[in-house]
Amino acid sequence: MRSLTALILGFFLDLLIGDPHSIPHPVVLIGKLIGVAEKAMRALFPKTVWGEKLAGGAVWLIVVSLSTAAPWILLHFANGVSPWLGLALETVMCAQILATKSLRQESMQVFEALKTGDLARSQYAVSRIVGRDTARLDEAGVTRAAVETVAENTSDGVIAPMLYLAIGGAPLGFFYKAVNTMDSMLGYVEPPYQNVGLVPAKMDDVFNFLPARLSGLLMLAAGALLGMDGKNGWKIFCRDRYNHASPNSAQTEAVCAGLLDLRLAGDAWYHGVLHKKKFIGDPIREIEDADIPRACRLLYATAFLGLVLFAGLKFCFLIYTSFS
């Protein structure tokens, strides 16, 4: 019951304070661990295709093991001192694992920049939340990139970690964050990551398979509650949810595109290389900067539905096991 309480309190703590930049974030530490492990494993394994793939697998095992063990050990000692201390610590951990408020804040900064008409400022703002080359984007491209990242990270940054928190508390939540962060840092098809990043990218696909689809369905329900185009959301979800190199990323992007009557995705530049990408959705109307706050409202509604679903299921499971 303690981990369930920590999840609920952590969810609202995240909405209240987000990720204060003055406080060191555990994901930053995970990122540094990935960098150190990558450098060490590249030096240890042969500089061949298979050697680099094995190095990537070793990095994955090292990072997920330490990222899961460290919070488990901290919580074990905290609970040994006081159950209240353990609850407080796990609540903070849950808040750090979830990214609802920070995702809204960063995307709304793009919206505010677009309202000034300063394209360079808008490009910089969106470069903080997307991996593509933003210097080539016009205002519509900046807006589209922001909406896409809100849609995709509704799954990666909110619903998926919330699911793992509900299943296994903060240690499993940090396990997921390690998996997802490694994909973000290493899961590229361009050199020097195309071999080292293979295992991290594939494992991210595995651990996001169910959460991405749950996120899509929750987003559909949220869109219907918000009065968006639910019929078109379902249509585009069914038609375009695999229009992406990843089997998971387009699940929520397709729903968002359909609910907002937009066409998202398409070709994009990454690290100076043009990637040919399929479109998601139909251009029923032109995208506008107001679509960013619309996507954020969809993010929040989806997050609340996710909390109700996962917390409710965990509560029922705990009640069932207590009487069995």
Side-chain angles (χ1 to χ4, degrees), residues 219-270:
M219 187 177 283
L220 273 169
L225 290 174
L226 292 173
M228 296 179 179
D229 193 346
K231 181 178 180 181
N232 194 49
W234 175 252
K235 169 189 168 184
I236 301 302
F237 174 68
C238 294
R239 192 191 74 189
D240 292 351
R241 61 196 180 106
Y242 290 110
N243 285 5
H244 198 283
S246 163
N248 303 319
S249 294
Q251 302 289 322
T252 46
E253 283 189 44
V255 174
C256 183
L259 290 172
L260 297 181
D261 294 330
L262 299 173
R263 186 169 73 173
L264 301 176
D267 298 349
W269 291 82
Y270 294 85

Side-chain angles (χ1 to χ4, degrees), residues 261-284:
D261 294 330
L262 299 173
R263 186 169 73 173
L264 301 176
D267 298 349
W269 291 82
Y270 294 85
H271 307 295
V273 179
L274 177 63
H275 288 245
K276 306 296 290 184
K277 301 168 69 175
K278 295 180 179 179
F279 288 110
I280 297 172
D282 296 324
I284 296 174

Side-chain angles (χ1 to χ4, degrees), residues 27-275:
V27 176
V28 175
L29 297 178
I30 292 174
K32 291 181 177 179
L33 174 61
I34 293 168
V36 171
E38 180 197 356
K39 184 177 180 180
M41 293 304 102
R42 282 185 182 274
L44 181 63
F45 285 89
K47 293 176 175 56
T48 62
V49 170
W50 274 105
E52 290 183 349
K53 289 179 180 179
L54 289 171
V59 170
W60 192 87
L61 286 172
I62 292 168
V63 173
V64 297
S65 297
L66 293 177
S67 299
T68 307
W72 186 90
I73 292 170
L74 287 172
L75 287 171
H76 176 75
F77 281 106
N79 287 319
V81 174
S82 166
W84 292 106
L85 178 61
L87 175 61
L89 179 59
E90 189 162 12
T91 295
V92 172
M93 287 180 174
C94 290
Q96 291 174 320
I97 290 167
L98 298 170
T100 313
K101 183 172 184 178
S102 61
L103 180 56
R104 181 186 181 278
Q105 284 180 322
E106 294 292 339
S107 57
M108 288 301 291
Q109 287 182 13
V110 180
F111 173 67
E112 296 298 331
L114 284 166
K115 289 202 301 183
T116 69
D118 187 337
L119 180 59
R121 179 183 168 190
S122 303
Q123 291 168 336
Y124 172 75
V126 80
S127 72
R128 294 167 54 87
I129 57 174
V130 301
R132 71 192 66 181
D133 300 343
T134 58
R136 302 172 184 267
L137 299 177
D138 58 11
E139 289 188 3
V142 168
T143 306
R144 188 175 297 108
V147 171
E148 287 172 13
T149 202
V150 171
E152 181 179 352
N153 284 287
T154 298
S155 177
D156 290 358
V158 181
I159 299 301
M162 193 187 299
L163 172 62
Y164 284 101
L165 285 170
I167 294 172
L172 197 62
F174 276 115
F175 166 88
Y176 173 78
K177 293 303 288 186
V179 170
N180 194 239
T181 304
M182 276 189 283
D183 179 58
S184 299
M185 291 180 62
L186 305 177
Y188 295 99
V189 296
E190 300 90 1
Y193 299 110
Q194 75 272 35
N195 298 319
V196 167
L198 178 66
V199 170
K202 294 301 181 183
M203 296 308 291
D204 185 75
D205 289 344
V206 170
F207 287 101
N208 271 305
F209 187 86
L210 178 60
R213 285 146 185 81
L214 285 173
S215 298
L217 295 174
L218 287 168
M219 187 177 283
L220 273 169
L225 290 174
L226 292 173
M228 296 179 179
D229 193 346
K231 181 178 180 181
N232 194 49
W234 175 252
K235 169 189 168 184
I236 301 302
F237 174 68
C238 294
R239 192 191 74 189
D240 292 351
R241 61 196 180 106
Y242 290 110
N243 285 5
H244 198 283
S246 163
N248 303 319
S249 294
Q251 302 289 322
T252 46
E253 283 189 44
V255 174
C256 183
L259 290 172
L260 297 181
D261 294 330
L262 299 173
R263 186 169 73 173
L264 301 176
D267 298 349
W269 291 82
Y270 294 85
H271 307 295
V273 179
L274 177 63
H275 288 245

